[in-house]
Amino acid sequence: MGFRTDAIHAGQEPDPTTGAVTIPIYQTSTYVQEALGKHKGFEYARTQNPTRMALERNMAVLEGGIAGYAFASGMAATTALTHLLLKQGDHAICSDNVYGGTFRLFDKIVRHYGIDFTYVNTSDLAKLEKSMRTNTRMVFIETPTNPIMSITDIRGVSSIAHQTDCRVVVDNTFMTPYFQRPLELGADIAVHSTTKYLNGHSDSVGGVAILKRQDDAERLQFIQNAAGAILAPFDSWLVLRGIKTLPIRMEAHNANGKLIADYLSRKEGVRKIYYPGLPNHPGHELASKQMSGFGGMIAFDLGSLENARRFLERVKLCSLGESLGGVETLISHPATMTHASVPVHERNRLGITDGLVRISVGIEDVEDLIADLENAFSVL
Ligand SMILES: *Cc1c(COP(=O)(O)O)cnc(C)c1O
């Protein structure tokens, strides 16, 4: 089936008791058993929930994996992957400008369990290869990165990492499987914050991991149940509903993203602009091969904290807020918001300067968005 068909139907059958066309929210904690040891495969809702399992099957199909597991947040999904892949004495490699929360998890929590992390610019495959050790068990990449939108070659990373017993995890939150399919490019696991584009309506927090190896899938299912950070039935239902329109939303984000990027690249007050759809973006060529669209995330540098502050206080339609990937346009200041926990020297090295503004372009009428930005530029 095509992606649009799968987005609507994969993993979902009409409800067996009523024929309801939409999978119900199975809001139950447990299931009645017929006799000792005799049940319909449902025992307790941390372990099995039909609404959550429909989402998990749906995402497995969309990413081209064999199984998916849904968690209470994107961070809970990534935490479960560290339980799956890393143990004391292991080494892991991570892209050097991943989502701030991912860095915080690895650096402030996982590292204390005797696991060593190296942060490298994974856009540079030679650097990645040099950082590999015999005990490297995970390479965690985000592409495009947040918020600088640098691109990592998933195929290249996978062929280097697979020279040893090491898994490649790709945070595919920004592109979604509609624009990028990491497992088909050689990665072992795709992970998402469903909070963003997959749900798409800024009304649920969740995460999902999709795997392609049977042994990994079985172990992650065990971890999901044992550690317990499952996605709730209502949130699973919201994400399933959101995914039905994922293809048309992503097309709209992409079209608006391109027009806003073109607009920003003509503005005088913009020192630098980061959007992989622009031909002068360093990762443009690779992005064009590896992704089938460029999405709606753009970062641009206004030169100073004062400029960024004035600009962000002036926009109206573009709401100031963390998060991204919703139908509405959100604008943020990475240095003080999403990336506040990254040390300042590290932020500056990555280009996350005080003047950097990130915009998650929504699917409103683009003329209205441009008029709002134009108005904010007038105060600089
Ligand atoms: C938001 C986000 C996360 C974390 O997801 P939560 O649902 O907020 O826990 C991870 N990676 C990326 C790229 C994100 O944007």
mmCIF file with all atom_site columns, all heavy atoms in Angstrom, residues 125-139:
data_model
loop_
_atom_site.group_PDB
_atom_site.id
_atom_site.type_symbol
_atom_site.label_atom_id
_atom_site.label_alt_id
_atom_site.label_comp_id
_atom_site.label_asym_id
_atom_site.label_entity_id
_atom_site.label_seq_id
_atom_site.pdbx_PDB_ins_code
_atom_site.Cartn_x
_atom_site.Cartn_y
_atom_site.Cartn_z
_atom_site.occupancy
_atom_site.B_iso_or_equiv
_atom_site.pdbx_formal_charge
_atom_site.auth_seq_id
_atom_site.auth_comp_id
_atom_site.auth_asym_id
_atom_site.auth_atom_id
_atom_site.pdbx_PDB_model_num
ATOM 1   N N   . LEU A 1 125 ? 31.903 11.998 8.610  1.00 0.00 ? 125 LEU A N   1
ATOM 2   C CA  . LEU A 1 125 ? 32.004 10.545 8.813  1.00 0.00 ? 125 LEU A CA  1
ATOM 3   C C   . LEU A 1 125 ? 33.400 10.113 9.261  1.00 0.00 ? 125 LEU A C   1
ATOM 4   O O   . LEU A 1 125 ? 33.544 9.137  9.993  1.00 0.00 ? 125 LEU A O   1
ATOM 5   C CB  . LEU A 1 125 ? 31.602 9.796  7.537  1.00 0.00 ? 125 LEU A CB  1
ATOM 6   C CG  . LEU A 1 125 ? 30.120 9.888  7.151  1.00 0.00 ? 125 LEU A CG  1
ATOM 7   C CD1 . LEU A 1 125 ? 29.863 9.136  5.845  1.00 0.00 ? 125 LEU A CD1 1
ATOM 8   C CD2 . LEU A 1 125 ? 29.213 9.356  8.255  1.00 0.00 ? 125 LEU A CD2 1
ATOM 9   N N   . ALA A 1 126 ? 34.427 10.866 8.835  1.00 0.00 ? 126 ALA A N   1
ATOM 10  C CA  . ALA A 1 126 ? 35.793 10.521 9.244  1.00 0.00 ? 126 ALA A CA  1
ATOM 11  C C   . ALA A 1 126 ? 35.933 10.682 10.762 1.00 0.00 ? 126 ALA A C   1
ATOM 12  O O   . ALA A 1 126 ? 36.547 9.852  11.445 1.00 0.00 ? 126 ALA A O   1
ATOM 13  C CB  . ALA A 1 126 ? 36.805 11.402 8.519  1.00 0.00 ? 126 ALA A CB  1
ATOM 14  N N   . LYS A 1 127 ? 35.331 11.744 11.292 1.00 0.00 ? 127 LYS A N   1
ATOM 15  C CA  . LYS A 1 127 ? 35.369 11.971 12.752 1.00 0.00 ? 127 LYS A CA  1
ATOM 16  C C   . LYS A 1 127 ? 34.632 10.852 13.477 1.00 0.00 ? 127 LYS A C   1
ATOM 17  O O   . LYS A 1 127 ? 35.073 10.379 14.528 1.00 0.00 ? 127 LYS A O   1
ATOM 18  C CB  . LYS A 1 127 ? 34.691 13.313 13.090 1.00 0.00 ? 127 LYS A CB  1
ATOM 19  C CG  . LYS A 1 127 ? 35.600 14.502 12.898 1.00 0.00 ? 127 LYS A CG  1
ATOM 20  C CD  . LYS A 1 127 ? 35.219 15.618 13.877 1.00 0.00 ? 127 LYS A CD  1
ATOM 21  C CE  . LYS A 1 127 ? 36.148 16.806 13.706 1.00 0.00 ? 127 LYS A CE  1
ATOM 22  N NZ  . LYS A 1 127 ? 35.479 17.971 13.153 1.00 0.00 ? 127 LYS A NZ  1
ATOM 23  N N   . LEU A 1 128 ? 33.503 10.451 12.918 1.00 0.00 ? 128 LEU A N   1
ATOM 24  C CA  . LEU A 1 128 ? 32.737 9.371  13.539 1.00 0.00 ? 128 LEU A CA  1
ATOM 25  C C   . LEU A 1 128 ? 33.580 8.098  13.583 1.00 0.00 ? 128 LEU A C   1
ATOM 26  O O   . LEU A 1 128 ? 33.688 7.439  14.619 1.00 0.00 ? 128 LEU A O   1
ATOM 27  C CB  . LEU A 1 128 ? 31.442 9.112  12.761 1.00 0.00 ? 128 LEU A CB  1
ATOM 28  C CG  . LEU A 1 128 ? 30.681 7.862  13.208 1.00 0.00 ? 128 LEU A CG  1
ATOM 29  C CD1 . LEU A 1 128 ? 30.003 8.073  14.548 1.00 0.00 ? 128 LEU A CD1 1
ATOM 30  C CD2 . LEU A 1 128 ? 29.681 7.421  12.165 1.00 0.00 ? 128 LEU A CD2 1
ATOM 31  N N   . GLU A 1 129 ? 34.194 7.779  12.453 1.00 0.00 ? 129 GLU A N   1
ATOM 32  C CA  . GLU A 1 129 ? 34.981 6.543  12.363 1.00 0.00 ? 129 GLU A CA  1
ATOM 33  C C   . GLU A 1 129 ? 36.115 6.541  13.402 1.00 0.00 ? 129 GLU A C   1
ATOM 34  O O   . GLU A 1 129 ? 36.369 5.530  14.045 1.00 0.00 ? 129 GLU A O   1
ATOM 35  C CB  . GLU A 1 129 ? 35.529 6.380  10.941 1.00 0.00 ? 129 GLU A CB  1
ATOM 36  C CG  . GLU A 1 129 ? 36.172 5.024  10.706 1.00 0.00 ? 129 GLU A CG  1
ATOM 37  C CD  . GLU A 1 129 ? 36.021 4.545  9.262  1.00 0.00 ? 129 GLU A CD  1
ATOM 38  O OE1 . GLU A 1 129 ? 35.958 5.400  8.359  1.00 0.00 ? 129 GLU A OE1 1
ATOM 39  O OE2 . GLU A 1 129 ? 35.978 3.314  9.049  1.00 0.00 ? 129 GLU A OE2 1
ATOM 40  N N   . LYS A 1 130 ? 36.756 7.704  13.572 1.00 0.00 ? 130 LYS A N   1
ATOM 41  C CA  . LYS A 1 130 ? 37.843 7.819  14.559 1.00 0.00 ? 130 LYS A CA  1
ATOM 42  C C   . LYS A 1 130 ? 37.349 7.632  15.982 1.00 0.00 ? 130 LYS A C   1
ATOM 43  O O   . LYS A 1 130 ? 38.080 7.195  16.860 1.00 0.00 ? 130 LYS A O   1
ATOM 44  C CB  . LYS A 1 130 ? 38.493 9.203  14.445 1.00 0.00 ? 130 LYS A CB  1
ATOM 45  C CG  . LYS A 1 130 ? 39.630 9.241  13.468 1.00 0.00 ? 130 LYS A CG  1
ATOM 46  C CD  . LYS A 1 130 ? 40.610 10.365 13.821 1.00 0.00 ? 130 LYS A CD  1
ATOM 47  C CE  . LYS A 1 130 ? 41.317 10.847 12.573 1.00 0.00 ? 130 LYS A CE  1
ATOM 48  N NZ  . LYS A 1 130 ? 40.847 12.147 12.109 1.00 0.00 ? 130 LYS A NZ  1
ATOM 49  N N   . SER A 1 131 ? 36.089 7.972  16.229 1.00 0.00 ? 131 SER A N   1
ATOM 50  C CA  . SER A 1 131 ? 35.556 7.887  17.596 1.00 0.00 ? 131 SER A CA  1
ATOM 51  C C   . SER A 1 131 ? 35.046 6.500  17.962 1.00 0.00 ? 131 SER A C   1
ATOM 52  O O   . SER A 1 131 ? 34.754 6.229  19.116 1.00 0.00 ? 131 SER A O   1
ATOM 53  C CB  . SER A 1 131 ? 34.400 8.878  17.770 1.00 0.00 ? 131 SER A CB  1
ATOM 54  O OG  . SER A 1 131 ? 34.783 10.153 17.349 1.00 0.00 ? 131 SER A OG  1
ATOM 55  N N   . MET A 1 132 ? 34.946 5.626  16.971 1.00 0.00 ? 132 MET A N   1
ATOM 56  C CA  . MET A 1 132 ? 34.439 4.273  17.244 1.00 0.00 ? 132 MET A CA  1
ATOM 57  C C   . MET A 1 132 ? 35.465 3.502  18.087 1.00 0.00 ? 132 MET A C   1
ATOM 58  O O   . MET A 1 132 ? 36.662 3.581  17.853 1.00 0.00 ? 132 MET A O   1
ATOM 59  C CB  . MET A 1 132 ? 34.190 3.507  15.933 1.00 0.00 ? 132 MET A CB  1
ATOM 60  C CG  . MET A 1 132 ? 33.028 3.999  15.089 1.00 0.00 ? 132 MET A CG  1
ATOM 61  S SD  . MET A 1 132 ? 31.382 3.728  15.772 1.00 0.00 ? 132 MET A SD  1
ATOM 62  C CE  . MET A 1 132 ? 31.279 1.936  15.860 1.00 0.00 ? 132 MET A CE  1
ATOM 63  N N   . ARG A 1 133 ? 34.953 2.757  19.076 1.00 0.00 ? 133 ARG A N   1
ATOM 64  C CA  . ARG A 1 133 ? 35.833 1.903  19.888 1.00 0.00 ? 133 ARG A CA  1
ATOM 65  C C   . ARG A 1 133 ? 35.302 0.476  19.811 1.00 0.00 ? 133 ARG A C   1
ATOM 66  O O   . ARG A 1 133 ? 34.186 0.252  19.368 1.00 0.00 ? 133 ARG A O   1
ATOM 67  C CB  . ARG A 1 133 ? 35.796 2.355  21.361 1.00 0.00 ? 133 ARG A CB  1
ATOM 68  C CG  . ARG A 1 133 ? 36.177 3.801  21.567 1.00 0.00 ? 133 ARG A CG  1
ATOM 69  C CD  . ARG A 1 133 ? 36.162 4.129  23.067 1.00 0.00 ? 133 ARG A CD  1
ATOM 70  N NE  . ARG A 1 133 ? 36.195 5.563  23.295 1.00 0.00 ? 133 ARG A NE  1
ATOM 71  C CZ  . ARG A 1 133 ? 35.875 6.135  24.443 1.00 0.00 ? 133 ARG A CZ  1
ATOM 72  N NH1 . ARG A 1 133 ? 35.496 5.397  25.483 1.00 0.00 ? 133 ARG A NH1 1
ATOM 73  N NH2 . ARG A 1 133 ? 35.913 7.444  24.581 1.00 0.00 ? 133 ARG A NH2 1
ATOM 74  N N   . THR A 1 134 ? 36.090 -0.459 20.336 1.00 0.00 ? 134 THR A N   1
ATOM 75  C CA  . THR A 1 134 ? 35.625 -1.855 20.271 1.00 0.00 ? 134 THR A CA  1
ATOM 76  C C   . THR A 1 134 ? 34.380 -2.057 21.133 1.00 0.00 ? 134 THR A C   1
ATOM 77  O O   . THR A 1 134 ? 33.593 -2.969 20.883 1.00 0.00 ? 134 THR A O   1
ATOM 78  C CB  . THR A 1 134 ? 36.730 -2.833 20.732 1.00 0.00 ? 134 THR A CB  1
ATOM 79  O OG1 . THR A 1 134 ? 37.214 -2.369 21.998 1.00 0.00 ? 134 THR A OG1 1
ATOM 80  C CG2 . THR A 1 134 ? 37.866 -2.889 19.731 1.00 0.00 ? 134 THR A CG2 1
ATOM 81  N N   . ASN A 1 135 ? 34.208 -1.190 22.149 1.00 0.00 ? 135 ASN A N   1
ATOM 82  C CA  . ASN A 1 135 ? 33.035 -1.354 23.019 1.00 0.00 ? 135 ASN A CA  1
ATOM 83  C C   . ASN A 1 135 ? 31.909 -0.352 22.697 1.00 0.00 ? 135 ASN A C   1
ATOM 84  O O   . ASN A 1 135 ? 31.040 -0.123 23.529 1.00 0.00 ? 135 ASN A O   1
ATOM 85  C CB  . ASN A 1 135 ? 33.451 -1.236 24.500 1.00 0.00 ? 135 ASN A CB  1
ATOM 86  C CG  . ASN A 1 135 ? 34.024 0.127  24.833 1.00 0.00 ? 135 ASN A CG  1
ATOM 87  O OD1 . ASN A 1 135 ? 34.480 0.848  23.942 1.00 0.00 ? 135 ASN A OD1 1
ATOM 88  N ND2 . ASN A 1 135 ? 33.997 0.495  26.099 1.00 0.00 ? 135 ASN A ND2 1
ATOM 89  N N   . THR A 1 136 ? 31.945 0.248  21.500 1.00 0.00 ? 136 THR A N   1
ATOM 90  C CA  . THR A 1 136 ? 30.861 1.168  21.119 1.00 0.00 ? 136 THR A CA  1
ATOM 91  C C   . THR A 1 136 ? 29.632 0.339  20.751 1.00 0.00 ? 136 THR A C   1
ATOM 92  O O   . THR A 1 136 ? 29.681 -0.488 19.845 1.00 0.00 ? 136 THR A O   1
ATOM 93  C CB  . THR A 1 136 ? 31.287 2.050  19.923 1.00 0.00 ? 136 THR A CB  1
ATOM 94  O OG1 . THR A 1 136 ? 32.522 2.687  20.239 1.00 0.00 ? 136 THR A OG1 1
ATOM 95  C CG2 . THR A 1 136 ? 30.231 3.105  19.629 1.00 0.00 ? 136 THR A CG2 1
ATOM 96  N N   . ARG A 1 137 ? 28.541 0.585  21.469 1.00 0.00 ? 137 ARG A N   1
ATOM 97  C CA  . ARG A 1 137 ? 27.339 -0.229 21.250 1.00 0.00 ? 137 ARG A CA  1
ATOM 98  C C   . ARG A 1 137 ? 26.176 0.564  20.665 1.00 0.00 ? 137 ARG A C   1
ATOM 99  O O   . ARG A 1 137 ? 25.170 -0.010 20.268 1.00 0.00 ? 137 ARG A O   1
ATOM 100 C CB  . ARG A 1 137 ? 26.885 -0.872 22.580 1.00 0.00 ? 137 ARG A CB  1
ATOM 101 C CG  . ARG A 1 137 ? 27.843 -1.908 23.120 1.00 0.00 ? 137 ARG A CG  1
ATOM 102 C CD  . ARG A 1 137 ? 27.817 -3.196 22.285 1.00 0.00 ? 137 ARG A CD  1
ATOM 103 N NE  . ARG A 1 137 ? 28.927 -4.077 22.650 1.00 0.00 ? 137 ARG A NE  1
ATOM 104 C CZ  . ARG A 1 137 ? 30.102 -4.103 22.029 1.00 0.00 ? 137 ARG A CZ  1
ATOM 105 N NH1 . ARG A 1 137 ? 30.328 -3.317 20.989 1.00 0.00 ? 137 ARG A NH1 1
ATOM 106 N NH2 . ARG A 1 137 ? 31.048 -4.912 22.435 1.00 0.00 ? 137 ARG A NH2 1
ATOM 107 N N   . MET A 1 138 ? 26.291 1.889  20.663 1.00 0.00 ? 138 MET A N   1
ATOM 108 C CA  . MET A 1 138 ? 25.199 2.694  20.102 1.00 0.00 ? 138 MET A CA  1
ATOM 109 C C   . MET A 1 138 ? 25.771 3.949  19.453 1.00 0.00 ? 138 MET A C   1
ATOM 110 O O   . MET A 1 138 ? 26.625 4.620  20.034 1.00 0.00 ? 138 MET A O   1
ATOM 111 C CB  . MET A 1 138 ? 24.217 3.102  21.221 1.00 0.00 ? 138 MET A CB  1
ATOM 112 C CG  . MET A 1 138 ? 23.107 4.034  20.733 1.00 0.00 ? 138 MET A CG  1
ATOM 113 S SD  . MET A 1 138 ? 21.920 4.501  22.029 1.00 0.00 ? 138 MET A SD  1
ATOM 114 C CE  . MET A 1 138 ? 22.754 5.900  22.785 1.00 0.00 ? 138 MET A CE  1
ATOM 115 N N   . VAL A 1 139 ? 25.297 4.241  18.245 1.00 0.00 ? 139 VAL A N   1
ATOM 116 C CA  . VAL A 1 139 ? 25.530 5.558  17.648 1.00 0.00 ? 139 VAL A CA  1
ATOM 117 C C   . VAL A 1 139 ? 24.155 6.199  17.535 1.00 0.00 ? 139 VAL A C   1
ATOM 118 O O   . VAL A 1 139 ? 23.258 5.651  16.880 1.00 0.00 ? 139 VAL A O   1
ATOM 119 C CB  . VAL A 1 139 ? 26.210 5.467  16.263 1.00 0.00 ? 139 VAL A CB  1
ATOM 120 C CG1 . VAL A 1 139 ? 26.320 6.859  15.639 1.00 0.00 ? 139 VAL A CG1 1
ATOM 121 C CG2 . VAL A 1 139 ? 27.591 4.839  16.382 1.00 0.00 ? 139 VAL A CG2 1
#
